[in-house]
């Protein structure tokens, strides 16, 4: 059996070798994480594009079917009321104007709420606050190392790091 760096298991390795091995593995881990994030983002973009295309086609189909709905509404009003056909088409138009007005009112209400939300400004303020806290943070005190960096001192540092 061998260690991840190819050396025999249980063999003593120097601090430099351990550090080089850890650096290589961390680099590989970061590259793998970036590749995973790219793959997930690509999949999400594909799903979003498919969803957007389906919604666009549904909207286009609905828009092209509206004239049929207006004709059906006008002829239905004529069937039930026996009024002049022109009056029935005017009533159908008035119903469309009322629905469009209600939708526009809903859009205005949501636009005002979005304008008042100020979400990006809140996030920016939070990031600035966090940065200010981190700038004032002080590191934990580290024990002083002996000038003589013998095996005991290196071993103590290696144990405290792991």
């Amino acid at each position: 059996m061998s260690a991840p760096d190819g050396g025999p298991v249980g063999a003593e390795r120097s601090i430099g070798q351990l550090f080089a091995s850890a650096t290589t593995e961390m680099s590989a881990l970061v590259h793998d994480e970036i590749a995973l994030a790219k793959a997930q983002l690509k999949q999400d973009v594909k799903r979003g594009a498919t969803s957007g295309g389906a919604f666009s086609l549904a909207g286009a189909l609905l828009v092209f079917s509206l004239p049929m709905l207006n004709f059906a509404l006008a002829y239905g009003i004529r069937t039930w009321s026996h009024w002049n056909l022109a009056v029935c088409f005017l009533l159908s138009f008035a119903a469309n104007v009322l629905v469009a007005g209600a939708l526009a009112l809903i859009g205005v209400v949501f636009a005002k709420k979005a304008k008042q939300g100020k979400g990006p400004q809140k996030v920016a303020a939070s990031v600035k606050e966090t940065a200010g806290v981190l700038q004032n943070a002080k590191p934990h005190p580290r024990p002083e190392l002996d000038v003589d960096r013998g095996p005991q001192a290196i071993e103590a540092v290696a144990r405290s790091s792991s």
Side-chain angles (χ1 to χ4, degrees), residues 21-162:
S21 175
T23 304
T24 303
E25 290 174 13
M26 284 297 289
S27 176
L29 179 63
V30 167
H31 286 293
D32 289 345
E33 287 292 328
I34 290 171
L36 177 63
K38 284 181 181 179
Q40 287 175 341
L41 184 62
K42 185 177 179 180
Q43 185 179 22
D44 289 346
V45 167
K46 269 187 185 177
R47 287 179 181 164
T50 303
S51 173
F55 278 126
S56 297
L57 288 175
L61 184 63
L62 183 62
V63 165
F64 288 127
S65 68
L66 281 177
M68 287 187 274
L69 175 67
N70 288 329
F71 277 98
L73 182 61
Y75 281 111
I77 292 170
R78 172 155 172 114
T79 301
W80 294 319
S81 66
H82 299 292
W83 291 344
N84 187 357
L85 193 57
V87 172
C88 296
F89 273 101
L90 283 175
L91 287 174
S92 176
F93 172 74
N96 285 334
V97 169
L98 286 175
V99 169
L103 290 174
L105 185 61
I106 291 170
V108 167
V109 167
F110 277 103
K112 283 184 181 179
K113 284 185 181 181
K115 195 179 231 183
Q116 293 172 352
K118 297 185 181 180
Q121 288 86 356
K122 289 180 183 178
V123 171
S126 174
V127 167
K128 285 180 183 176
E129 181 181 340
T130 303
V133 168
L134 291 177
Q135 284 176 349
N136 296 330
K138 295 181 181 174
H140 293 290
R142 300 278 183 201
E144 292 293 325
L145 291 177
D146 295 335
V147 176
D148 176 29
R149 295 182 180 231
Q152 292 86 8
I154 293 173
E155 190 175 315
V157 171
R159 265 190 262 128
S160 70
S161 300
S162 55

